[in-house]
Amino acid sequence: QVQLVESGGGSVQPGGSLTLSCRASASMYCMGWFRQAPGKKREGVARITRAGDRLYANSVDGRFTLSQDTLKNTVYLKMDSLKPEDTAMYYCAADPNAPCYVMPATARYSGQGTQVTVSS
């Protein structure tokens, strides 16, 4: 069973920054993040394929940056200019093979989640 270990998250004021990281126990075709706020549906945030192809949700494009270290099977989500509406539980997700289902938030593997709270 593949494990995804997340770190980062926390509380920050609007306009602040946070970085999330996620390490997979095996090489994945794609990795990324989805989020879920209380009372709302899951929302894909960003994903990157092992080849480096990135995709961002419109709501975070230009503010969030996804990078990876393929030797460590690790992805990093740098979140800048955070807004209160970014508050949610963020889950790392991954698929071992194409196609990638991280953005529909239906990937084969997901982590335990890490809370991000943006509030003044």
Side-chain angles (χ1 to χ4, degrees):
Q1 179 72 9
V2 172
Q3 292 188 335
L4 303 177
V5 180
E6 302 144 329
S7 62
S11 296
V12 65
Q13 292 186 340
S17 298
L18 285 173
T19 299
L20 308 180
S21 65
C22 174
R23 181 166 188 162
S25 58
S27 177
M28 295 285 110
Y29 166 72
C30 73
M31 294 180 67
W33 300 84
F34 66 88
R35 65 188 180 186
Q36 188 168 24
K40 295 189 176 182
K41 296 190 302 182
R42 290 181 172 185
E43 176 191 20
V45 175
R47 68 96 171 116
I48 186 169
T49 66
R50 195 166 183 83
D53 180 42
R54 293 170 176 83
L55 182 64
Y56 296 95
N58 289 338
S59 58
V60 307
D61 198 7
R63 299 188 297 119
F64 290 11
T65 303
L66 192 56
S67 60
Q68 66 180 346
D69 183 336
T70 55
L71 293 178
K72 296 181 179 179
N73 297 326
T74 300
V75 293
Y76 307 93
L77 183 67
K78 188 172 188 302
M79 305 182 292
D80 295 317
S81 302
L82 282 162
K83 304 175 181 179
E85 51 263 44
D86 293 318
T87 296
M89 186 72 79
Y90 283 70
Y91 297 88
C92 180
D95 276 305
N97 302 295
C100 184
Y101 290 104
V102 172
M103 293 306 280
T106 56
R108 181 169 179 180
Y109 302 111
S110 60
Q112 299 283 353
T114 185
Q115 179 67 38
V116 171
T117 301
V118 185
S119 174
S120 55

